[in-house]
Structures are given as structure tokens and as C-alpha cells.
Amino acid sequence: MKNIDLNLLMIFDAVMTESSISGAAERLSMTQPAVSNAVARMRQVWNDPLFIKDGRGIKPTTFALSLWNQTNGPLTMIKDAVNPQEFDPATAKRRFRVACADIMVDLVWLPMRRLIEREAPHIDLHAVPYSRLNSQTILANAEADLVIGVLEDMRTSDRKELLFQGEYVCAMRKDHPLAGQELSLEKYLQADHLLVSLSGDPEGFVDTALKQMGESRRVAMTVNHFASVPAMLLGTDLIGVVANTVVAKEALAGKLHITVPPVAIPSTQVAVSWHARHDRDAGLHWLRENIVHFARQEWAKYGPACCLQTLACKASAMHSDKSGKELH
């Protein structure tokens, strides 16, 4: 490929970014047929299909992904050098894709939408699926602009900003037979358990920890998303060890009994992550700044109701109160 057509590369970059011919056309202020013709020329010049149909959208080939990983960074630098990016939320027309679990959508999306309605009426914000299964590829393949997830699952090469620290708590309904008493390991193991499994695997990190102790529990039911957990716990005899983000609102409202798990589970750090190629993207900086603000703001409301330190203090106070009553 002696003569490199920079225009083709720019159009290719837009198609990869938008994962759509029509989206690329809108991004570049071109007609859709013009972009389609450019893609046809790319296929001929680079001797690869580049994009294949995937439902209603398109999916890049392995060659296209490899080419984009090599060219996107330099192209971004060229665009920034020639035309430094400016972003005015009041007039900007952008579509942002954020990969996150449903629990983070519940936490952040409402205040983000209110902000968009006030200050950025032409911004579209789309949530896309995220789990540990795609955590290592989703930013590299430009399937999302940002990722919100567990810090330890994120690629070391990506940029990150910490949002807050999450902890694992044991939750059950307020009138559960195990509520209001110290939860021993023996009582815990005798209960029926609810597990959130995005992959469908009926064993999680708690089961791994129990195996190391020579113990096991009965996972009586699994769900494949976090949003259903509070309702399941409120309406059944199930108990669940979950990240406190999952039950924080119900804990603050006093609907669920939250206690310290009898199994030691390390805390997690929740972070937002982005690819280095977007370091100078003013629009993405605006989005990231607001997501960080709202995530911290919302978590400050709910987090204290179900953090381990608070739970430990409550348990200590309860024990002292019972001891005092017994002395009289």
C-alpha cells in the first residue's frame, strides 16, 4: 500500500468509532451513500471485508480491529493538531456509550439525564453490557467510550479514576429468621442463598472462599442482573452476600436487614476507565467529569447505610445493650 489515502482512514476511523455507516455519515457530515462508497473502496484497497453484518449493526473483522488499534491514536493526534477539539455541551451532538452493570445505571443515570436535559439537550447516553467476560476488550475494541466497574478487572494500560470503595454485605428481609442476631457461619451455611451470576455459573467468589475453608452453601437461586436482588430478598427467605451498592437504597430506607458476612471478603474499588486514545477528547472529559461527580454524590447518600464499619458499630452497640440488660 504505497499511496495511503488519509481520507479513507478518517472515514474508517469514524465507522469504527460509531459502529455504524449512518452514524459515521452523521459524524463526518457526509451522506450515507458517500460513506458506503468509501467503505467499498477500503475493502478493495485493503483486501479485507472490514465490516460484516451483525443483527441491525455491523461488526469489524479481525483485520479492521488490528488496523484501527494501530491508526486510531495517530489519527487522533493529527486531528487535535490541525483542529483542536472544542466541546460545548449546549450545542454538541454526540452519542456516548458507557459499559456498566445495571446497578451503576440505577445510581448514576437519573442525575445524568437531568443534567443532559438542562445543559446538553443533543447528547445521547447509551448503557452497554459489561461484565468480567468483556472487561479486557471492550475499550480496546471501541465497544464503549467509558467503562464503570471493578478496578482490579480493568486493563493496566487504560486510564482510570476511582469513584468509591465497595464492600460485600449479607442482606435479607427485616423479618427473616436470621435477622437481628449475630450471623454465625453455621447459621449462614444452613440458609438458602441468592447469587448474582452474569455468566450463569452457580458458584461465585463466596463459594470459592468457602471451599478453602472446607465448607459449602446451597445456592438456591441465581439471577443474571443486580436490579432484581432487593425484591427477591424482600419477598423470600433467601439471603445474599452482595456488593453494598446493590442494596444501598433499600438499606437506607430500612427495608432490608444488612449485616457483616461470616466469610471474609476483600472490599472492591469501583472506578471509571477510558482508553488512552481519548485523553484529549473534550466531550468525553465532560462526560467522565460528570459521571464521577454524580457517582460520588449519590454514593455519599446511600453508602453509609451499609458499610462494614457502620454495621460493626451497630453490632457492637447491640451486644453491649444486651449485656447491660442481662446484668440488671
Side-chain angles (χ1 to χ4, degrees):
M1 191 166 54
K2 294 181 180 179
N3 297 317
I4 300 176
D5 190 333
L6 189 58
N7 287 327
L8 282 187
L9 282 175
M10 298 294 280
I11 296 171
F12 169 74
D13 180 67
V15 175
M16 289 293 294
T17 299
E18 296 293 330
S19 298
S20 164
I21 299 292
S22 58
E26 182 177 351
R27 185 183 186 91
L28 297 169
S29 299
M30 296 174 63
T31 64
Q32 188 168 333
V35 174
S36 296
N37 289 336
V39 171
R41 292 201 303 275
M42 295 175 205
R43 287 169 170 159
Q44 183 177 13
V45 172
W46 299 331
N47 193 29
D48 188 86
L50 297 176
F51 307 102
I52 56 177
K53 287 186 177 180
D54 182 29
R56 295 184 178 181
I58 57 174
K59 183 178 181 179
T61 64
T62 302
F63 174 83
L65 286 171
S66 175
L67 178 63
W68 197 52
N69 283 333
Q70 297 177 67
T71 60
N72 179 259
L75 284 174
T76 300
M77 293 176 66
I78 292 172
K79 287 185 286 186
D80 287 345
V82 175
N83 183 27
Q85 285 192 339
E86 295 182 0
F87 181 81
D88 180 2
T91 58
K93 295 182 178 181
R94 289 281 299 269
R95 179 190 298 118
F96 294 113
R97 292 164 295 183
V98 179
C100 57
D102 57 325
I103 189 61
M104 292 307 302
V105 172
D106 289 344
L107 190 68
V108 174
W109 248 233
L110 179 58
M112 276 301 304
R113 179 58 196 173
R114 287 171 175 165
L115 173 71
I116 288 170
E117 290 180 353
R118 290 195 312 269
E119 300 180 10
H122 305 295
I123 295 297
D124 297 332
L125 183 59
H126 295 177
V128 299
Y130 172 74
S131 71
R132 291 189 167 189
L133 299 176
N134 65 355
S135 62
Q136 296 296 304
T137 60
I138 196 164
L139 287 176
N141 295 346
E143 297 169 17
D145 301 299
L146 294 176
V147 164
I148 304 175
V150 177
L151 181 63
E152 66 181 33
D153 291 340
M154 296 173 173
R155 297 193 314 165
T156 55
S157 58
D158 291 327
R159 308 291 199 252
K160 307 165 194 70
E161 184 169 356
L162 184 66
L163 299 179
F164 53 81
Q165 180 167 296
E167 297 172 316
Y168 288 94
V169 298
C170 186
M172 64 194 78
R173 71 172 196 270
K174 297 288 285 188
D175 58 348
H176 192 283
L178 295 179
Q181 58 179 289
E182 184 179 351
L183 184 61
S184 66
L185 179 61
E186 181 182 4
K187 292 176 182 177
Y188 173 79
L189 295 177
Q190 290 172 353
D192 290 341
H193 297 259
L194 176 68
L195 172 67
V196 181
S197 175
L198 304 183
S199 65
D201 188 346
E203 292 190 1
F205 54 86
V206 173
D207 302 282
T208 301
L210 288 173
K211 281 184 179 179
Q212 294 174 352
M213 301 164 59
E215 302 286 357
S216 64
R217 62 175 181 166
R218 179 192 175 197
V219 176
M221 183 168 283
T222 66
V223 292
N224 58 3
H225 56 278
F226 295 99
S228 62
V229 169
M232 289 300 304
L233 295 177
L234 285 167
T236 71
D237 281 335
L238 293 167
I239 70 173
V241 171
V242 293
N244 52 1
T245 48
V246 178
V247 292
K249 292 182 179 180
E250 287 72 22
L252 182 62
K255 294 180 179 180
L256 285 173
H257 174 71
I258 310 295
T259 188
V260 179
V263 183
I265 304 166
S267 60
T268 61
Q269 292 181 307
V270 180
V272 60
S273 178
W274 65 98
H275 198 283
R277 60 175 168 256
H278 293 310
D279 277 345
R280 300 181 64 183
D281 186 324
L284 202 59
H285 178 78
W286 173 87
L287 176 68
R288 188 173 72 247
E289 187 176 62
N290 283 291
I291 284 179
V292 169
H293 168 71
F294 287 126
R296 291 173 178 168
Q297 174 182 279
E298 293 300 299
W299 188 239
K301 297 178 186 177
Y302 303 110
C306 54
C307 71
L308 293 182
Q309 185 175 1
T310 301
L311 296 175
C313 289
K314 286 182 179 179
S316 177
M318 183 183 299
H319 179 72
S320 298
D321 182 57
K322 288 181 179 179
S323 299
K325 288 180 178 178
E326 290 171 358
L327 288 173
H328 286 82

